[in-house]
Amino acid sequence: MKELDKQISEVLEHIISIRRYIHQNPELGYEEKATSKLVAQELKSSGLAVQEGVGGYGVVGILEGNHPGKILLLRADMDALPIEEETGLSFSSKIPGIMHACGHDIHTAILLGVARVLSKYKDFIAGQIKFVFQPAEECSPQGGAQKMIKEGILENPDVDYALALHVWPQLYVGEIGLCSGPCSAKSDRFFLKVTGKSGHASAPHQGIDALVAAADIISSMQTIVSRRVDPKDSIVISIGKITGGQRYNVICDKVEMEGTVRIMTPGYEDEIMKYMNQVGQGIVQAHGASFEMNYLKGYPMVINDACLTQKVKEILTEKIGEDAVKNISQDTSGEDFSFISQKVPSVYMKLGSSPKDAKEVLPLHNSRVIFDEGCIPFGIKALAALSLELLQQEE
């Protein structure tokens, strides 16, 4: 591991400069043209074979070991978010209204660092590593993972294992979180429309108030979780946007709402949509209004393979220390690495990104969130060590 640490230290300054450049020049999902070009150039400079334009702006780098063996896929996402950055960093986003608030710039930099380091270890690698740089992870329900899978990233040759990591402010730098089984939520999206009849606010009985019906729907949707879901199971229904009304003294005739469903317990994938439609239709009928729902099924749950998770835990415990490996629970975020985890044994890890002296821990997707760059060498070391052990030449 001392030799690995040395290799990481030699490339670290360059990798951090790449991270900062990507952070300053963020690109939204399906628009990662410059980022993908930079990634391809870096992979080629590390001596890897490179495939560009996979599933949009996706890039795949291939590292062939000098011995036959298993096929390992390592994945990083590249897209940013439509958020105005307020961190005050010297390398803050130069693009108005776009920010790497989910840390995909760090994921990309870490994987480029892993590629550069492991390119010097071909004699120790039995098999092949596919370095997958994915576009549009934030574009649920049609994220980039499905498109890349359709274009063959899991085939030719077939992938045996897949690994990914995500920065996580709730863990400190030098910590990595693992859970077995479901480790993220199924993430769906919905659009609701309530239609009533407009009229003068002084004579509400002559109209049908869509606002009042919508208010009842918002409140009653929560009874699905509290009264129709087993208390031991976990579901979230949140309405995040509501628009309606034209003037203070006019009965509102149309309200539109948008929201998300997060399902953490398998078995409710179809039930929640059915319950929501029943609630909406029943309430508007009582008000004399009408109801429409467009429910978009998004990313499924990421399922960490139990056997591979145990193997990853053992390797990380040996290589980076028992205290660094943290057992974590499933979280409510959505993640399209889930589509890969449905196809091959996979492990999705959480990489600590907050300094231990942090006075405030801000969540992902916050305009002021800052990821400590100390997590970059740690992430490189974790993925490199896992790769070398999983693909070690058998005697």
Side-chain angles (χ1 to χ4, degrees), residues 125-184:
I125 294 173
Q128 182 188 102
I129 303 175
K130 294 184 179 183
F131 295 88
V132 173
F133 294 83
Q134 180 205 307
E137 191 281 326
E138 299 288 356
C139 297
S140 179
Q142 297 297 324
Q146 285 179 292
K147 293 180 179 292
M148 296 192 81
I149 291 171
K150 287 179 181 178
E151 296 191 20
I153 62 169
L154 300 181
E155 303 164 353
N156 303 314
D158 293 347
V159 170
D160 294 292
Y161 312 119
L163 303 176
L165 51 73
H166 200 298
V167 290
W168 203 242
Q170 287 74 27
L171 292 173
Y172 294 125
V173 169
E175 297 178 338
I176 194 162
L178 284 173
C179 66
S180 183
C183 67
S184 74

Side-chain angles (χ1 to χ4, degrees), residues 341-357:
S341 77
Q342 288 182 325
K343 302 287 187 181
V344 300
S346 302
V347 175
Y348 180 70
M349 299 164 278
K350 299 296 177 63
L351 181 69
S353 58
S354 290
K356 292 186 177 179
D357 59 353

Side-chain angles (χ1 to χ4, degrees), residues 27-29 80-85 96-101 138 365:
E27 296 174 300
L28 297 175
L81 287 159
I83 294 174
E84 185 72 31
E85 181 163 356
I98 304 179
M99 175 192 176
H100 271 293
E138 299 288 356
H365 293 212

